[in-house]
Amino acid sequence: MTPEEIGAKLTEALGTLDGLGATSATGATVSESAGGPFARATADVPAERWVEAVRFARDELGCDFFDWLTAVDELDEGFSVVAHVWSTGQKHGVLLRTRVPREAPAVASITGLYPGAAWHERETHEMFGLDFPGFAAASGLTPLLLAPEFEGHPLRKEFILASRVAKPWPGAKEPGESESGAAKRAPVRPPGVPSPEEWGPSAAAADPAPGAED
């Protein structure tokens, strides 16, 4: 099926209009992604219809292969949760998206539909702090990539990168690091991260190895 045909089926199933012809708060907004011949039908659905939309893609659109799931930090607008599923038989894909609030972000788990989503939901939980009620895997939403003692969610935009404190960042990434003339923002050291003079190359240069002066 073409993205247009898939979009029509999504619209018919999930609905975009209420009985008066106005946009429904519980309906899906269907569009088409960029990418030319690789474009995908894309459905933005309310969080409460997330599992319903994923189930429709699997059962009615033949998307038997779960590809990936992740999140995007949209700052004050919360977090977008995005998943891509694929039909191995009909060779088409579908992008599904929803939005959750920044305060207590959560969306129902789809591990009951696609067990392969477990690692992706664990990673998204770890990196963004999103919860997935109904997570079906026995492991639970345990850390997947980071050490158990790691604090914070490193893909949130407010997370401070320790590497930016320890060494200069390449490129004009901060105010004052370009020709804009804006004042440069003072580096902020995350809690628990020692000063560059206390560890790393700077500390090693300032503290000669034993016997070096002999």
Side-chain angles (χ1 to χ4, degrees):
M1 286 186 287
T2 66
E4 293 81 5
E5 293 170 333
I6 296 171
K9 287 182 174 293
L10 287 166
T11 300
E12 180 181 359
L14 302 176
T16 56
L17 301 178
D18 62 17
L20 300 177
T23 301
S24 170
T26 60
T29 301
V30 179
S31 59
E32 184 177 328
S33 72
F38 304 103
R40 298 282 186 268
T42 304
D44 290 275
V45 301
E48 61 269 21
R49 302 192 68 184
W50 176 243
V51 173
E52 178 187 355
V54 175
R55 180 181 291 110
F56 179 83
R58 186 194 67 174
D59 295 347
E60 303 300 328
L61 299 177
C63 295
D64 53 341
F65 177 74
F66 173 84
D67 192 5
W68 52 262
L69 178 147
T70 190
V72 179
D73 187 343
E74 307 285 4
L75 297 177
D76 292 342
E77 296 181 8
F79 297 91
S80 292
V81 180
V82 190
H84 180 255
V85 292
W86 177 260
S87 171
T88 58
Q90 301 181 54
K91 309 300 181 186
H92 61 241
V94 180
L95 278 171
L96 300 166
R97 297 187 299 206
T98 192
R99 184 72 58 87
V100 296
R102 197 165 194 85
E103 298 75 21
V107 67
S109 173
I110 58 171
T111 50
L113 299 172
Y114 291 106
W119 279 23
H120 301 253
E121 291 185 353
R122 284 173 62 188
E123 180 185 29
T124 303
H125 172 75
E126 187 174 30
M127 295 295 174
F128 292 93
L130 274 68
D131 284 328
F132 293 89
F135 185 83
S139 63
L141 291 169
T142 53
L144 181 66
L145 301 174
L146 303 174
E149 63 272 16
F150 190 92
E151 296 182 2
H153 305 289
L155 291 188
R156 287 193 174 202
K157 290 182 178 177
E158 75 267 19
F159 188 85
I160 301 173
L161 297 175
S163 60
R164 300 204 64 175
V165 179
K167 62 182 180 180
W169 198 258
K173 300 293 186 180
E174 295 284 7
E177 295 180 348
S178 65
E179 298 178 357
S180 64
K184 184 176 181 179
R185 186 166 62 191
V188 178
R189 189 163 67 250
V193 176
S195 167
E197 288 74 26
E198 300 173 6
W199 67 294
S202 299
D207 185 15
E213 298 179 355
D214 297 340

